Amino acid sequence: MAKYIFVTGGVTSSLGKGIIAASLAKLLQARGLKVTIQKFDPYINVDPGTMNPYEHGECYVTEDGAETDLDLGHYERFLNIFTSQANNVTTGRIYQTVINKEREGAYLGKTVQVIPHITDEIKRRMLHLGQDNKYDIVITEIGGTIGDIESLPFVEAMRQLQWELPQEDTVVVHLTLIPYLKAAKELKTKPTQHSVKMLSQEGVNPDIIVCRTEKQLTPELKRKIALFCNVRQEAVIEAMDASTIYEVPLLMMREKLDLICMKKMNITDHKEPELTRWKEFLDKLKYPKSKVTIGLIGKYIELQDAYKSILESFIHAGAVNECQVQVVNVHSEFITDSNVQEKLSSLDGLLVAPGFGHRGVEGKIISVKYARENNLPFFGICLGMQMAVIEFARNVLGMQDAHSTEMDPDTSNPVIDLMEEQKKVTAKGGTMRLGAYPCEIKPGSLAEKIYHVSSITERHRHRWEFNNQYLEQYRQAGMIASGKNPGSDLVEIVELTGHPFFIGVQYHPELKSTVENPQPIFVHFIKAAKEYSEKMATKQRPAVQGEIA
Ligand code: GLN
């Protein structure tokens, strides 16, 4: 039987619960335990797939095609494991299951209620991943902040499990904030006291309190928190702001978060944590030997979380190349023919981001043209790849009005068209082409040089595709399909033959980059950007424009 660790958050949102949960998981994994993490989100959407990135940040897609919370991305990047649909549960999904069961007659004769029916379904899902001996530890992160009305059923389910499972099989970690008041020159514990009180009113006593703080906690302060919050002083953990999220596991190890959890769970046979590769990565990340500037061309750039996995992939790829990757956000809506030179000429590489809808696409097309004509390393992801295809049609193949039917349904040159299987789809939730699909790579291509294999699988989230009717025209003019789905012939990768590094992919490679397995296209893209930057070293270039991510 697995043991269960619950991570809750208090005082405010955005404290980094996902990072603390992933760091704890990393440490337990490094000590030889089999660990997985899941996230329970209190909103009513069945999944975050239908939410705007401004609302919820990036939608992370798993191998099995689940549209999930971006914290699952952190779990995979830290643990180097795959998560699945089962690792992200929302209130919407819980209610959907219970209501469907009610309609089928599963509760005939009964009044269906929050307690026990909703809480039973929550408990079933909380325990689910720990049922088949695959894992020693299942960590459950509970979204939202303690005190929110909507997370109450999750907390209640956790409370019941604390009593139903053997005492040594559950641990509750509560993450709070210890604010520093500048005027008083003091760290304040009152918000934490209130948050723990609120949690106790909901029937749960935390075993461990992790305190986010910008200043060190004194032993005196830890003693005070322990006293007011009914935990041992050793179970008050300091979580100082770190320069990178990848340092947090080491900070937590110093504070013995893993050991305190293991003590509560009565786990005694464990080895010292094996973190050699993690530390090597951190060293390379902290002491880079060179630097490149990459432009991220997107329309959601005001919100960092919208492109989370892309930014993290750059961190992994930078470390491999011992190169600091400075990502500059360039808003695609404001790029025009007349300012493109000024906006992009300081860059060493260009990444055109994924997206939906027509806002900002013309700016993306103009940027692709700039990269193509100036031998600037180019990497297009999903919509970014589609923009590269449209740019080529318009400016090389002479089809002035070429477009995607997503933006212009009446174009006479639909070089990007809705997939056949999508034509009858009307519902929006979970209906895109989602998850892992295979792709065969063309021998001798840049893609082959990058992946070193002839067959790969990558994850997807799209409805439109390259229109194969135009394939031959493209090939003759120098844009080739170097990766295709073996079954459907869907174009997965395009590249330009006469360009030093120009690649567009229909899939989302950023979803599979981890600390221990950096994604190869990102790695080679940064390498190409380094070479470009060296080549340009003698040239006068303008200062970087745009906001540094
Ligand atoms: N909107 C495009 C499509 O659905 C691209 C999607 C994306 O970039 N994720 O095909």
Side-chain angles (χ1 to χ4, degrees):
M1 259 294 278
K3 294 178 187 282
Y4 296 87
I5 300 177
F6 296 95
V7 180
T8 60
V11 181
T12 163
S13 58
S14 305
L15 285 184
K17 244 186 313 176
I19 301 297
I20 293 292
S23 299
L24 172 58
K26 182 75 217 166
L27 292 176
L28 296 171
Q29 185 194 54
R31 286 185 185 274
L33 295 161
K34 286 179 275 151
V35 188
T36 190
I37 321 189
Q38 53 186 355
K39 172 106 192 254
F40 278 56
D41 275 313
Y43 50 75
I44 295 171
N45 303 62
V46 171
D47 62 42
T50 52
M51 281 187 235
N52 190 313
Y54 286 126
E55 192 80 21
H56 191 264
E58 164 189 277
C59 173
Y60 188 77
V61 180
T62 55
E63 282 292 287
D64 63 348
E67 298 185 287
T68 71
D69 185 78
L70 56 77
D71 271 332
L72 271 76
H74 290 308
Y75 306 163
E76 292 204 2
R77 289 187 283 271
F78 274 55
L79 296 181
N80 206 28
I81 58 165
F82 286 160
T83 55
S84 71
Q85 178 69 76
N87 296 70
N88 193 192
V89 176
T90 67
T91 293
R93 198 171 287 278
I94 299 281
Y95 271 81
Q96 193 181 45
T97 311
V98 172
I99 292 170
N100 286 345
K101 274 170 77 177
E102 187 275 335
R103 293 289 80 185
E104 285 161 14
Y107 312 110
L108 272 190
K110 292 270 182 280
T111 309
V112 181
Q113 293 177 300
V114 173
I115 303 172
H117 302 98
I118 293 296
T119 46
D120 279 354
E121 179 58 21
I122 297 174
K123 285 194 293 183
R124 188 182 71 76
R125 289 179 184 258
M126 280 177 168
L127 297 176
H128 173 69
L129 288 171
Q131 301 291 289
D132 54 8
N133 285 327
K134 232 171 107 188
Y135 299 109
D136 303 312
I137 312 257
V138 178
I139 300 183
T140 303
E141 178 192 344
I142 297 187
T145 308
I146 291 303
D148 294 349
I149 292 176
E150 50 183 21
S151 56
L152 270 176
F154 291 147
V155 179
E156 169 60 16
M158 176 175 82
R159 183 194 72 77
Q160 293 177 18
L161 285 178
Q162 263 194 314
W163 292 102
E164 287 167 8
L165 296 175
Q167 217 195 341
E168 69 274 16
D169 282 2
T170 64
V171 181
V172 176
V173 178
H174 187 58
L175 175 65
T176 76
L177 177 71
I178 308 288
Y180 179 73
L181 289 195
K182 258 204 204 115
K185 292 201 179 67
E186 249 186 308
L187 286 167
K188 289 293 182 190
T189 64
K190 195 72 84 192
T192 296
Q193 293 178 37
H194 279 295
S195 157
V196 172
K197 201 162 150 191
M198 200 129 50
L199 189 56
S200 326
Q201 276 164 3
E202 293 174 16
V204 174
N205 286 318
D207 299 296
I208 296 169
I209 297 180
V210 177
C211 306
R212 265 305 291 275
T213 170
E214 41 180 303
K215 301 245 184 259
Q216 252 185 334
L217 304 183
T218 58
E220 178 52 30
L221 211 82
K222 282 190 171 183
R223 199 186 61 77
K224 189 170 166 191
I225 296 168
L227 183 72
F228 280 105
C229 301
N230 290 332
V231 297
R232 292 181 188 282
Q233 190 168 336
E234 62 175 29
V236 179
I237 304 281
E238 168 190 292
M240 284 271 275
D241 294 352
S243 59
T244 151
I245 55 169
Y246 297 105
E247 203 159 73
V248 179
L250 301 183
L251 294 180
M252 290 302 100
M253 185 164 78
R254 219 176 297 151
E255 287 283 303
K256 301 193 170 60
L257 175 61
D258 52 339
L259 290 177
I260 297 163
C261 282
M262 286 161 84
K263 191 168 159 196
K264 165 83 200 325
M265 295 184 292
N266 221 354
I267 301 177
T268 45
D269 59 336
H270 54 77
K271 57 179 184 85
E272 280 306 297
E274 166 52 47
L275 289 165
T276 321
R277 281 177 74 190
W278 191 273
K279 286 180 186 161
E280 274 169 19
F281 157 78
L282 257 184
D283 268 355
K284 286 188 179 168
L285 182 64
K286 282 166 102 181
Y287 307 106
K289 297 191 177 127
S290 55
K291 180 179 171 185
V292 293
T293 304
I294 303 294
L296 172 60
I297 318 290
K299 67 170 175 179
Y300 304 116
I301 59 167
E302 299 88 344
L303 186 80
Q304 278 308 296
D305 278 357
Y307 301 116
K308 195 80 207 163
S309 294
I310 292 177
L311 296 177
E312 298 304 319
S313 301
F314 276 133
I315 292 175
H316 309 153
V320 176
N321 283 287
E322 297 183 72
C323 174
Q324 183 195 342
V325 181
Q326 171 177 269
V327 179
V328 176
N329 292 319
V330 188
H331 206 307
S332 55
E333 262 188 298
F334 308 124
I335 301 173
T336 61
D337 282 319
S338 50
N339 69 16
V340 63
Q341 166 85 23
E342 176 195 335
K343 279 191 185 285
L344 307 187
S345 57
S346 59
L347 304 173
D348 305 313
L350 195 70
L351 186 142
V352 177
F356 296 84
H358 73 273
R359 188 168 68 92
V361 299
E362 292 305 323
K364 286 184 173 172
I365 294 170
I366 294 168
S367 329
V368 179
K369 177 167 187 268
Y370 179 87
R372 182 177 56 76
E373 290 178 341
N374 292 282
N375 281 339
L376 179 65
F378 168 83
F379 183 7
I381 298 183
C382 209
L383 185 71
M385 169 266 197
Q386 297 174 354
M387 293 303 113
V389 169
I390 294 167
E391 190 279 324
F392 198 80
R394 288 188 188 174
N395 300 320
V396 180
L397 302 176
M399 304 171 197
Q400 242 55 191
D401 75 331
H403 219 319
S404 162
T405 51
E406 178 180 4
M407 289 91 198
D408 178 4
D410 302 320
T411 173
S412 52
N413 282 299
V415 290
I416 301 292
D417 203 4
L418 192 60
M419 278 180 278
E420 200 49 45
E421 71 212 47
Q422 285 287 329
K423 291 192 175 148
K424 42 192 182 303
V425 172
T426 50
K428 294 285 182 243
T431 55
M432 283 188 239
R433 180 171 180 254
L434 290 166
Y437 283 93
C439 165
E440 298 290 332
I441 290 177
K442 200 181 175 73
S445 62
L446 172 64
E448 194 197 39
K449 231 166 73 195
I450 290 172
Y451 281 100
H452 293 298
V453 289
S454 57
S455 175
I456 55 165
T457 64
E458 292 278 7
R459 300 183 195 167
H460 299 73
R461 185 172 189 250
H462 67 119
R463 296 187 201 276
W464 275 265
E465 65 175 335
F466 185 102
N467 184 345
N468 277 343
Q469 281 177 12
Y470 293 90
L471 206 56
E472 185 49 27
Q473 255 174 292
Y474 274 82
R475 194 191 60 76
Q476 282 177 15
M479 182 178 266
I480 59 160
S482 56
K484 275 186 169 187
N485 179 288
S488 65
D489 243 15
L490 179 137
V491 173
E492 294 281 11
I493 312 176
V494 296
E495 55 187 74
L496 277 184
T497 46
H499 191 285
F501 192 100
F502 189 107
I503 191 164
V505 293
Q506 185 57 75
Y507 50 83
H508 290 265
E510 73 276 20
L511 301 175
K512 267 171 77 174
S513 190
T514 70
V515 167
E516 278 154 54
N517 269 326
Q519 210 286 335
I521 309 184
F522 279 88
V523 173
H524 283 260
F525 177 53
I526 295 305
K527 192 165 159 261
K530 255 169 79 176
E531 284 160 15
Y532 182 85
S533 146
E534 280 157 23
K535 225 175 60 204
M536 298 296 281
T538 53
K539 302 224 163 68
Q540 267 287 349
R541 291 209 278 170
V544 170
Q545 291 221 356
E547 206 171 298
I548 293 171

